[in-house]
Amino acid sequence: MTLEKLAAHVRTVADFPKAGIQFRDLTPLLADGAAFQATTAALAERAGAFDLIAGVEARGFLFGAALAQRTGHGLVLVRKPGKLPGQTIGHDYALEYGTDRLELHDGQVPKSARVLLVDDVLATGGTAAAAVELLRKSGATVTRALFVLELDGLSGAQKLRAAGVEPVSLLHFPA
Ligand code: AMP
């Protein structure tokens, strides 16, 4: 399936979750077996060399798990606070208003493991950059992040490149 055909499975919902946001909804792509499989295959082709996948809550889990199954790699979960049952390490990061936090199970990433970050959408890059910081805090090496869709014009890619991470996105949509 071509990337153009994959893009046709993205639904745009205006003013969600708040006025002015064009929400790029990937649920139609997930609901179509051929499109979901083609997305996973296209992500795998662009994954490069790595040891472990990190999926970012919540939709990063879906694509991260599919990619892990396809490539035979393990998956670690980068989660919102208070969701992981074991000992965690965390990273606090700034939002436009206030702060947020991501957590990871302590000791689950082997020291110096090459971790591939996976999420559904790259917007401002704030979430992905925070996930990279957290993974590096745990001793991981992170040099590439995979996204199904990137919103152009929000500088998310520049933010990641400035942090030494190459962003790779299957689809590009305007912000
Ligand atoms: P950011 O930290 O700004 O890069 O936002 C990234 C997260 O927010 C991603 O994990 C997406 O799931 C979600 N997100 C942000 N903007 C959009 C959008 N316009 N459409 C769909 N998801 C979005």
Side-chain angles (χ1 to χ4, degrees):
M1 191 180 291
T2 62
L3 292 178
E4 286 73 23
K5 286 205 172 123
L6 276 190
H9 291 81
V10 178
R11 180 172 62 152
T12 297
V13 181
D15 299 320
F16 182 88
K18 55 184 181 183
I21 303 285
Q22 298 268 82
F23 192 86
R24 308 298 182 179
D25 176 23
L26 297 178
T27 61
L29 183 153
L30 288 164
D32 184 298
F36 191 12
Q37 198 166 45
T39 300
T40 309
L43 290 172
E45 278 171 18
R46 292 158 177 80
F50 65 98
D51 303 307
L52 189 63
I53 295 169
V56 183
E57 185 162 357
R59 291 176 292 268
F61 295 170
L62 305 170
F63 296 103
L67 184 61
Q69 283 295 291
R70 189 178 178 98
T71 61
H73 289 82
L75 174 72
V76 294
L77 308 182
V78 174
R79 297 212 67 174
K80 298 191 174 135
K83 302 279 190 184
L84 291 168
Q87 185 82 39
T88 59
I89 57 167
H91 180 72
D92 296 296
Y93 62 103
L95 296 175
E96 195 177 353
Y97 301 104
T99 61
D100 214 338
R101 181 177 171 81
L102 291 174
E103 292 182 345
L104 178 70
H105 264 148
D106 198 13
Q108 211 153 57
V109 175
K111 292 286 170 229
S112 304
R114 295 167 301 170
V115 174
L116 178 66
L117 188 73
V118 177
D119 204 357
D120 63 336
V121 172
L122 174 63
T124 65
T127 308
V132 168
E133 286 285 308
L134 175 59
L135 288 159
R136 285 179 176 163
K137 214 185 257 188
S138 79
T141 300
V142 190
T143 57
R144 188 175 301 198
L146 283 182
F147 303 92
V148 177
L149 192 155
E150 179 174 331
L151 298 175
D152 294 331
L154 294 180
S155 307
Q158 283 106 302
K159 191 178 179 78
L160 285 179
R161 283 196 194 101
V165 177
E166 183 56 29
V168 179
S169 307
L170 299 183
L171 308 174
H172 289 261
F173 277 65

